[in-house]
Every structure is written in C-alpha cells, then in structure tokens.
C-alpha cells in the first residue's frame, strides 16, 4: 500500500526531497521484500499538481513492479490526466475511477472519493449507487475497501476538516455487510495510522 506520492512535473524536489527518488526507494523495498505480492495499491495524491509529466514518470516507475498496480485518485490528482497515462484504469458508468477487484482474499472495492477542486472528500449519490450494486452482488465474499479520504476524524484538526464529508451515507451502505469487511485502506493524511472504524480495521500509510 503506497500513497501520497506527490510527484512533481519536472521530477524536482518538494519540501526538500525528491518525491520521485522516494518512490523508487519504495519500489526497491517492494522488490526486495514483497516481490511475491498479488497487487500494489496506491490510494491517491499520485501527482502534486495533477500534471502529465508527473503521471508519465509514475507510469515508468510502476513498470518496475512485477505485480499489477491499482491506482485511486486523490484531491491533488486529475482524473483526465491519469487516464491519459493509464488508459487501462477502470471507471464506473458516471466516469468515477472506482472498480471491484476479484482476488484470492476476496473482493477489493476501490472507491473514488475526490470532489473536483476541493481538498475534502465526497461520495455522491451516483457513486453510492455503484457501491450498492457491488455490495449486492458480492454474495458472501470477504470485502476489502480502499479510498483516498478517511471516513472518520483522526484527531488531527488540520486534516480532519478535509476528511470524507459523506461518511454517514457510506456507513449506511456498508453497515449490513460489516461482518464481511476485512480492512479499510486510505491515504490523505501523510501519516502511518491504524485503528478501527465501526469495528472495521483500518490503516493509513505515510507519504
């Protein structure tokens, strides 16, 4: 699970270090210790300003991975630019970059929580309809959820104001399936954090 890459347009430094160099170090670590993983999950803010050069660098870097990489957008990303460089990215019927993945461990539901032009997250009625259909057709499979924005306050006021604003609606959809939900992955807050939300284990990774 990688998140908050914030790649720059020219590969240059951001706040005193190179995001691209840090990404390659992360990939080095994956190759050394986790090369047998089934997938690599990236939960948003892949580019710092949603630029084409940054996504081109990301595509080249991810080519080093032996496993498929599954990308979600964050509030710093551009859906349109992402799809130019990752045309295989699946989208729902409304154009949101969310999908369901069948894995040996169960069904991964990757949720697009980006509100265009805003730092906080949202999960509108159209996206809720997609999720409701996925849940209804998932049988008794184990479920794993991933998104960019956390659906809960984490006790960090500067970030909590930019969390998911439709958390109650999201919970109402997934509550009947709580017993099948194994984990929730998210990013956005640039910190390694773990805990539980409505008794669902969650984790967030550092940038």
């Amino acid at each position: 699970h990688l998140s908050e890459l914030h790649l720059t347009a020219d590969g240059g430094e951001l706040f005193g270090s190179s995001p691209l160099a840090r990404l390659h170090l992360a990939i080095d670590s994956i190759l050394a210790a986790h090369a047998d993983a089934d997938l690599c999950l990236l939960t948003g803010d892949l580019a710092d300003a949603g630029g084409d050069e940054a996504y081109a660098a990301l595509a080249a870097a991810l080519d080093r991975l032996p496993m498929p990489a599954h990308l979600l957008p964050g509030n710093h990303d551009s859906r349109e630019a992402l799809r130019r460089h990752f045309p295989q990215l699946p989208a729902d019927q409304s154009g949101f970059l969310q999908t369901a993945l069948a894995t040996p461990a169960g069904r991964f539901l990757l949720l697009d929580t980006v509100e265009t032009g805003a730092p906080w997250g949202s999960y509108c009625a159209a996206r809720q309809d997609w999720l409701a259909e996925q849940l209804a057709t998932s049988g008794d499979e184990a479920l794993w959820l991933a998104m960019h924005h956390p659906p809960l306050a984490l006790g960090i006021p500067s970030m909590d104001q930019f969390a998911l604003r439709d958390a109650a609606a999201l919970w109402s959809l997934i509550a009947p399936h709580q017993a099948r939900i194994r984990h929730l992955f998210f990013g956005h807050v640039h910190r390694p954090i773990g805990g539980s939300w409505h008794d669902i284990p969650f984790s967030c990774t550092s940038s």
Side-chain angles (χ1 to χ4, degrees):
H1 177 201
L2 303 177
S3 202
E4 318 315 299
L5 310 183
H6 285 272
L7 298 179
T8 56
D10 58 1
E13 290 191 351
L14 186 69
F15 300 112
S17 68
S18 166
L20 183 58
R22 290 169 58 133
L23 172 59
H24 278 289
L25 289 172
I27 292 174
D28 290 343
S29 178
I30 292 171
L31 295 175
H34 305 289
D36 60 343
D38 290 320
L39 58 91
C40 181
L41 177 66
L42 293 92
T43 53
D45 282 358
L46 310 174
D48 190 59
D52 283 275
E53 290 182 36
Y55 294 128
L58 175 60
L62 294 181
D63 277 345
R64 297 179 57 205
L65 292 175
M67 74 287 291
H70 298 281
L71 281 57
L72 279 171
N75 50 285
H76 280 255
D77 290 309
S78 160
R79 291 187 187 94
E80 293 75 19
L82 257 177
R83 295 205 73 184
R84 280 197 293 274
H85 294 274
F86 297 92
Q88 75 278 15
L89 272 181
D92 67 14
Q93 63 269 27
S94 300
F96 295 108
L97 301 184
Q98 48 184 24
T99 192
L101 301 175
T103 81
R107 185 180 299 202
F108 274 67
L109 299 176
L110 310 187
L111 312 184
D112 181 340
T113 60
V114 173
E115 175 70 23
T116 303
W120 58 81
S122 65
Y123 205 66
C124 63
R127 284 174 275 193
Q128 292 174 38
D129 288 345
W130 176 88
L131 178 57
E133 180 180 357
Q134 296 301 319
L135 293 168
T137 60
S138 61
D140 60 356
E141 287 184 278
L143 300 172
W144 307 75
L145 305 181
M147 61 189 71
H148 179 68
H149 296 86
L152 71 158
L154 295 166
I156 307 169
S158 61
M159 296 302 299
D160 288 343
Q161 63 181 321
F162 301 132
L164 184 70
R165 296 199 169 179
D166 300 304
L170 175 65
W171 170 243
S172 70
L173 282 174
I174 66 176
H177 308 273
Q178 178 190 34
R180 296 193 288 129
I181 300 174
R182 301 291 184 260
H183 201 82
L184 166 64
F185 301 90
F186 55 81
H188 194 51
V189 296
H190 290 243
R191 294 162 175 85
I193 299 174
S196 62
W197 176 61
H198 295 292
D199 294 324
I200 298 170
F202 70 75
S203 59
C204 173
T205 185
S206 59
S207 62

